[in-house]
Amino acid sequence: MCAVFGFLDYKGKISNAVLKKLIHYLSVAAEVRGTDATGIVYVRNGSMVTYKKPKPAHKVKLFFPRGTRSVIGHTRFTTQGSEKRNCNNHPFEGHCGTEAFALAHNGVLYNDRKLRREQHLPPTPIETDTYVTVQLLEQGQNLDTENIKRMAELVEGSFVFTILRNDNTLFLVKGNNPLTLYHFPALGLYVYASTKSILDNALQKVHIAE
């Protein structure tokens, strides 16, 4: 059991200070679903920037610069691949042609080893079941809905995937694991988390309202 969380600020109306508080409180609230590792990723000048540590969220200072439009985050409860090897922690980065992206996953995949064989995926030091999804996406030339659909149809197990492309496009892929999304149109803000309680807990502390 892990948690995903994040935001998409598509109007740029909200201050960086408020958005950083939002991510802080989301990550701490998400500890209820995992304390083994914490990580976020954001876009800076068209490149993905990932920060993750094998620590619970309340012990990690999550930073992103002014002008950041989207952040995806993850708190981890380890099921496969030691969290002490930071490469096993979420989010994971990848490339499709000239496009860069990052992915975070809540759930467990059961056919990752089979897919590595059948799809002839390259060897990797990353031990998690999740990373097979990054490698499947990398088989495509573009990070788009068709590529993501193909990946989601190949994997077997439980999942929610959050994927951030290096143009700040955010994709949310819901399987049978929980996900709650709020939209504040007047603010130009989407906020999501694995559960409604995580989301409400954080929003109450930040006092975001239309």
Side-chain angles (χ1 to χ4, degrees):
M1 184 173 68
C2 302
V4 293
F5 58 89
F7 70 81
L8 174 64
D9 172 26
Y10 61 90
K11 287 186 178 178
K13 287 186 173 183
I14 304 171
S15 73
N16 182 255
V18 170
L19 291 173
K20 281 198 286 190
K21 286 181 181 177
L22 175 61
I23 284 295
H24 168 73
Y25 287 122
L26 281 170
S27 67
V28 172
E31 282 190 356
V32 70
R33 295 179 63 88
T35 58
D36 292 330
T38 307
I40 62 167
V41 66
Y42 57 91
V43 178
R44 182 171 62 194
N45 299 324
S47 297
M48 310 307 302
V49 180
T50 299
Y51 180 80
K52 52 189 178 181
K53 291 287 184 184
K55 296 180 179 179
H58 72 275
K59 292 186 177 180
V60 179
K61 186 173 183 180
L62 300 173
F63 169 84
F64 48 88
R66 186 174 295 130
T68 298
R69 288 291 165 256
S70 187
V71 171
I72 67 172
H74 187 273
T75 58
R76 187 177 183 214
F77 178 87
T78 302
T79 55
Q80 182 178 320
S82 171
E83 74 281 357
K84 292 180 173 58
R85 299 185 67 241
N86 203 35
C87 65
N88 288 327
N89 296 324
H90 304 232
F92 301 101
E93 291 189 32
H95 290 83
C96 289
T98 60
E99 297 173 337
F101 68 92
L103 177 148
H105 166 221
N106 169 31
V108 179
L109 305 180
Y110 308 128
N111 65 335
D112 54 307
R113 290 180 176 85
K114 181 181 177 185
L115 284 171
R116 289 187 196 284
R117 294 192 304 271
E118 291 180 348
Q119 298 294 320
H120 308 291
L121 301 178
T124 173
I126 298 172
E127 302 164 321
T128 66
D129 51 329
T130 298
Y131 194 67
V132 71
T133 63
V134 175
Q135 294 184 300
L136 289 170
L137 291 172
E138 288 183 324
Q139 291 180 324
Q141 286 303 303
N142 299 104
L143 194 284
D144 55 21
T145 53
E146 284 303 309
N147 192 6
I148 293 170
K149 179 173 182 262
R150 171 184 175 270
M151 176 274 289
E153 289 176 345
L154 283 171
V155 297
E156 297 173 2
S158 60
F159 62 81
V160 162
F161 300 117
T162 62
I163 307 168
L164 181 61
R165 197 169 62 193
N166 64 335
D167 62 353
N168 279 306
T169 299
L170 175 65
F171 300 90
L172 304 178
V173 185
K174 187 182 183 308
N176 55 357
N177 274 25
L179 183 70
T180 300
L181 172 70
Y182 287 173
H183 183 206
F184 301 91
L187 296 175
L189 180 70
Y190 286 97
V191 188
Y192 71 87
S194 285
T195 66
K196 185 176 185 296
S197 61
I198 292 171
L199 203 48
D200 290 344
N201 184 302
L203 288 171
Q204 287 169 9
K205 291 181 170 64
V206 182
H207 306 297
I208 287 179
E210 294 188 82

